[in-house]
């Protein structure tokens, strides 16, 4: 038997170096301050990066590097805490609160017909559907007599794959084009009692390439400028394809759904859905005149996104 102490065992030394370096890389990538394409992608995966670093910290603990392991675990806890834990402020739900549902349905969702039949019988004021295919336009006929719609009658096609159904008066409709029919957002105004609520609905490109990433950032910047110029109550809603801790999320200080309740709305894997494996990229953002009263996040069969159902009231 070897008399070499574990601390001097070459295999232990190699393992220690590997896990120390891995933990350092994961933490640096998670908190990198840079704004380039790849830096933003890694920063967006902060939860997953810190979970990986946490596992490295546990491995270092087993390798008896207790102090270093404790530092790694503490850094991970400090990074994950603000993302995973929230302290929502609850308030009595106003009987006149506006009920909104929003979901990225997935262009090829084979359960869409069943979903719409169920949603038709549910209680809501505004329903926002994204990634809605022109091929499914006929499924909207059941809402013609009961809702005001945007996206159904557009001859050139459903704008950016977005359909909005409203059971309250929709008094203004505009498709804001940034790059023709390729890039833009919807600007709608709803009459809530005696007050107008301006709603910006967008679905920027998923940042799967540098070009799509740049287009996403262009659209997010345009939305930010529009909200800054809006004098009354406003709401931004949609699958924005950006996490709330990204430097390109333009509403860090605003009231948001994610600020009220931590969640993951995009699940890239068919199994193992959890806040640790998903990303919070579906958002609602509100002006100071709007109060978020409740939020529920639920699965939506056939989509890799979850549905956000929330109630708001105007101050």
């Amino acid at each position: 038997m070897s008399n070499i102490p574990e601390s001097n065992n070459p295999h232990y030394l190699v393992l220690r170096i590997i896990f120390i370096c891995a933990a350092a890389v994961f933490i640096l990538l998670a908190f990198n301050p840079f704004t380039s394409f790849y830096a933003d992608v890694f920063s967006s995966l902060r939860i997953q990066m810190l979970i990986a670093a946490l596992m490295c910290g546990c491995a270092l603990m087993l390798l008896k590097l207790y102090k270093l392991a404790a530092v790694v675990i503490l850094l991970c806890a400090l990074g994950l805490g603000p993302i995973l834990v929230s302290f929502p402020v609850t308030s009595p739900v106003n009987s006149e609160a506006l009920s909104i549902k929003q979901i990225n349905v997935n262009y090829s969702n084979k359960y869409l017909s069943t979903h719409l039949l169920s949603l038709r019988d549910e209680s809501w004021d505004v329903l926002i559907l994204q990634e809605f295919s022109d091929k499914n336009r006929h499924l909207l006929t059941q809402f013609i007599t009961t809702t005001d719609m945007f996206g159904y009658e557009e001859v050139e096609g459903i704008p950016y794959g977005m359909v909005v159904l409203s059971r309250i008066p929709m008094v203004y409709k505009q498709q804001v084009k940034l790059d023709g029919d390729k890039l833009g957002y919807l600007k709608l105004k709803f009459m809530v009692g005696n007050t107008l609520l301006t709603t910006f609905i967008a679905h920027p490109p998923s940042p799967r390439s540098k070009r799509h990433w740049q287009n996403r950032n262009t659209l997010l910047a345009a939305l930010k400028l529009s909200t800054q110029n809006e004098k009354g109550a406003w709401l931004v809603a949609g699958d924005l394809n950006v996490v709330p801790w990204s430097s390109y999320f333009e509403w860090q200080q605003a009231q948001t759904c994610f600020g009220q309740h931590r969640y993951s709305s995009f699940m890239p894997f068919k199994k193992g859905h959890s806040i640790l494996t998903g990303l919070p990229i579906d958002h609602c953002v509100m002006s100071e005149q709007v109060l978020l009263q409740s939020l529920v996040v639920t699965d939506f069969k056939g989509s890799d996104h979850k549905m956000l159902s929330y109630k708001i009231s105007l101050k």
Side-chain angles (χ1 to χ4, degrees):
M1 296 179 63
S2 173
N3 294 321
I4 301 176
E6 285 185 354
S7 59
N8 296 325
N9 189 309
H11 296 294
Y12 269 73
L13 292 175
V14 171
L15 286 175
R16 286 175 171 179
I17 292 173
I18 290 174
F19 284 115
I20 290 171
C21 292
V25 169
F26 287 134
I27 291 173
L28 289 174
L29 288 175
F31 291 107
N32 82 84
F34 305 106
T35 58
S36 65
F37 170 57
Y38 289 109
D40 185 49
V41 170
F42 284 120
S43 177
S44 298
L45 298 173
R46 179 173 296 173
I47 294 176
Q48 292 75 23
M49 291 289 173
L50 292 178
I51 291 297
L54 186 62
M55 295 174 66
C56 291
C58 293
L60 291 174
M61 187 72 72
L62 294 175
L63 292 171
K64 300 183 179 181
L65 291 179
Y66 301 117
K67 293 183 178 179
L68 189 55
V71 170
V72 170
I73 292 172
L74 178 61
L75 289 174
C76 293
L78 292 175
L80 290 171
I83 298 177
L84 301 180
V85 180
S86 63
F87 301 96
V89 178
T90 57
S91 58
V93 177
N94 190 329
S95 59
E96 298 180 356
L98 187 68
S99 176
I100 301 175
K101 291 181 179 290
Q102 65 179 66
I103 178 62
N104 180 327
V105 300
N106 186 349
Y107 283 119
S108 58
N109 192 330
K110 62 182 180 180
Y111 305 102
L112 184 59
S113 177
T114 302
H115 281 305
L116 291 178
L117 284 173
S118 177
L119 286 167
R120 183 189 63 185
D121 298 329
E122 292 182 16
S123 176
W124 47 263
D125 297 303
V126 178
L127 175 62
I128 301 169
L129 306 173
Q130 298 187 305
E131 288 199 9
F132 196 96
S133 173
D134 268 324
K135 296 179 180 179
N136 294 318
R137 188 189 294 256
H138 64 282
L139 298 177
L140 298 173
T141 56
Q142 59 190 306
F143 296 97
I144 290 178
T145 60
T146 58
T147 65
D148 191 358
M149 284 190 280
F150 184 86
Y152 174 74
E153 297 179 351
E154 279 58 37
V155 177
E156 66 276 11
I158 295 174
Y160 315 120
M162 295 189 290
V163 173
V164 181
L165 298 88
S166 177
R167 289 172 174 161
I168 60 174
M170 190 188 304
V171 298
Y172 179 86
K173 307 175 184 179
Q174 180 186 5
Q175 178 183 351
V176 182
K177 298 182 179 182
L178 303 180
D179 184 13
D181 293 324
K182 297 180 180 179
L183 190 69
Y185 60 91
L186 307 183
K187 181 179 180 180
L188 310 175
K189 290 181 182 289
F190 300 96
M191 184 61 69
V192 184
N194 296 319
T195 307
L196 281 177
L197 173 66
T198 301
T199 303
F200 303 95
I201 301 170
H203 183 205
S206 176
R208 301 178 189 276
S209 68
K210 188 172 183 179
R211 181 179 179 182
H212 288 162
W213 174 76
Q214 290 171 335
N215 286 337
R216 182 206 69 176
N217 298 339
T218 297
L219 181 48
L220 291 175
L223 281 173
K224 176 61 174 179
L225 182 60
S226 294
T227 57
Q228 288 178 331
N229 293 333
E230 193 65 35
K231 296 181 180 179
W234 56 261
L235 168 73
V236 176
D239 170 10
L240 301 184
N241 272 314
V242 63
V243 293
W245 55 86
S246 168
S247 58
Y248 293 97
F249 186 79
E250 302 283 352
W251 302 275
Q252 300 282 1
Q253 304 303 319
Q255 182 183 197
T256 66
C257 280
F258 185 78
Q260 170 80 7
H261 176 69
R262 299 296 191 259
Y263 59 84
S264 286
S265 60
F266 170 67
M267 299 295 172
F269 308 108
K270 292 184 178 180
K271 296 183 178 180
H273 291 188
S274 77
I275 194 172
L276 301 180
T277 57
L279 295 172
I281 60 176
D282 297 83
H283 298 280
C284 67
V285 185
M286 288 139 284
S287 67
E288 293 180 353
Q289 300 96 324
V290 181
L291 176 65
L292 177 63
Q293 296 199 332
S294 65
L295 170 68
V296 178
V297 181
T298 54
D299 291 329
F300 196 84
K301 191 174 182 180
S303 174
D304 50 7
H305 288 254
K306 293 189 175 185
M307 181 164 66
L308 271 58
S309 303
Y310 49 97
K311 292 185 177 181
I312 61 173
S313 60
L314 302 184
K315 299 179 181 178

